[in-house]
Amino acid sequence: MRVLVTGATGFVGGHLVPELVAAGHDVRALVRDPERYDAPEGVDVVAGDLLDAETLSGVFDGVDAAYYLVHSMGSGGDFAERDRRAARNFAAAADAAAVSRVVYLGGLGETGDDLSPHLASRREVEAVLADAAFDLTTLRAAVIVGAGSAGFDVVYQLVDKLPVMVTPKWVRTPCQPIAVRDVVAYLVGVLDHPGTAGETYEVGGPQVLSYETMLERTAELAGKRLLVLPVPVLSPRLSTYWVDLVTDVPRSVAHPLIHGLKNPVVVTDHGIRDVIPVELTPFEDAAKRALREYGEDVDG
């Protein structure tokens, strides 16, 4: 199958492209600067920018299925407007080329009017893509555990630099993190199951944890001491200030993630497990793998 991957240079895209090649697909990667992309052997690299519709001419030609893995948080400013525009340009170009299937990786969480700006934008992108002519398969995930994941980078850098954390009470919000290898297994797997076209699935790891527990377990695995003190008076807005001070995660990425702590992100429908059997990775195993990539000496 001829498959196009947008967001190929990102965290998930970087793991997905080699697995698609290994699965026997003919992969095309859309990147803004091909010279800065070290493509796996056999991958067709094309230049284009989803924010500039004119650069997408011919990009989708001959494509059977496409992955939408982009977001604009790292660009600062009004990321929601850029995400909206990129999704519309993608949908128009894909429809013009008669692409039959699109797979989108969105955000897990409850629906409603009280979503964080980040999660609300993810849902708006999903709605834009669902309104196109192609069949959309949506996977919704919470924190993806792996070295290079924006969410897990925040966790690691906090436990690496702060032995004591005074945190907002929302640090006890439930979350269902998932290992990047398991997300990729689902992303690749849906292409082999035509019945997943037009469906939405929630994906998560085998454990529901609070953010506080994720911080504590990551610190323990890294051999670091950590005391977390949740207090009701500390808002996520104030929390972003000390995240800026102690991590090098861009504030345009960290701030939306911190504000999203108020939304529980837990799988309520496990239907995808009946379609694509994946041996889910425990949080500790996924965190160990990530910590080793960060250079930590981790046992086991």
Side-chain angles (χ1 to χ4, degrees):
M1 185 181 296
R2 171 61 67 88
V3 180
L4 173 72
V5 178
T6 67
T9 59
F11 168 62
V12 174
H15 286 82
L16 175 63
V17 169
E19 293 301 316
L20 288 171
V21 173
H25 296 291
D26 185 4
V27 181
R28 177 182 296 170
L30 173 64
V31 299
R32 282 179 291 187
D33 185 357
E35 293 186 359
R36 299 179 61 184
Y37 177 50
D38 185 15
E41 185 176 355
V43 172
D44 176 27
V45 181
V46 294
D49 185 347
L50 291 179
L51 293 174
D52 184 353
E54 293 184 358
T55 68
L56 302 180
S57 177
V59 166
F60 290 80
D61 290 355
V63 169
D64 303 302
Y67 285 87
Y68 192 92
L69 304 177
V70 300
H71 64 75
S72 300
M73 281 197 306
S75 302
D78 189 357
F79 67 84
E81 190 281 329
R82 285 194 299 276
D83 277 345
R84 187 182 310 118
R85 178 154 46 102
R88 288 172 176 167
N89 289 341
F90 172 97
D95 279 353
V99 174
S100 59
R101 288 198 63 185
V102 167
V103 181
Y104 169 59
L105 180 60
L108 181 63
E110 300 173 350
T111 58
D113 297 328
D114 195 33
L115 297 178
S116 69
H118 165 56
L119 187 52
S121 177
R122 297 286 79 202
R123 291 298 170 80
E124 184 179 13
V125 167
E126 183 179 324
V128 170
L129 299 177
D131 195 44
F134 47 72
D135 290 326
L136 178 68
T137 301
T138 297
L139 301 183
R140 294 174 177 171
V143 173
I144 299 176
V145 183
S149 159
F152 194 73
D153 276 356
V154 172
V155 170
Y156 170 68
Q157 291 194 42
L158 288 177
V159 302
D160 185 50
K161 298 175 182 178
L162 288 181
V164 178
M165 295 184 206
V166 180
T167 64
K169 62 180 180 180
W170 289 340
V171 78
R172 289 177 174 166
T173 301
C175 174
Q176 194 162 352
I178 183 170
V180 63
R181 63 191 292 178
D182 297 346
V183 170
V184 169
Y186 283 130
L187 288 168
V188 175
V190 294
L191 289 189
D192 294 328
H193 293 81
T196 61
E199 299 294 331
T200 296
Y201 299 98
E202 298 176 343
V203 298
Q207 300 145 289
V208 176
L209 307 170
S210 68
Y211 294 98
E212 179 181 17
T213 301
M214 282 194 285
L215 289 164
E216 291 172 340
R217 292 190 182 179
T218 301
E220 182 180 358
L221 291 169
K224 302 179 186 298
R225 300 174 63 88
L226 175 66
L227 177 62
V228 180
L229 301 173
V231 294
V233 296
L234 186 61
S235 70
R237 178 184 293 273
L238 292 174
S239 300
T240 60
Y241 298 147
W242 55 260
V243 169
D244 289 342
L245 287 173
V246 302
T247 80
D248 59 15
V249 177
R251 65 178 56 192
S252 57
V253 173
H255 287 202
L257 293 177
I258 294 297
H259 283 284
L261 287 174
K262 66 180 182 178
N263 296 119
V265 281
V266 177
V267 173
T268 59
D269 182 351
H270 298 278
I272 195 168
R273 297 185 185 179
D274 297 327
V275 182
I276 305 171
V278 172
E279 185 175 350
L280 296 172
T281 307
F283 173 79
E284 287 79 3
D285 292 346
K288 285 180 182 179
R289 191 173 295 115
L291 289 170
R292 292 190 187 99
E293 292 188 45
Y294 287 127
E296 296 287 348
D297 184 12
V298 180
D299 294 332

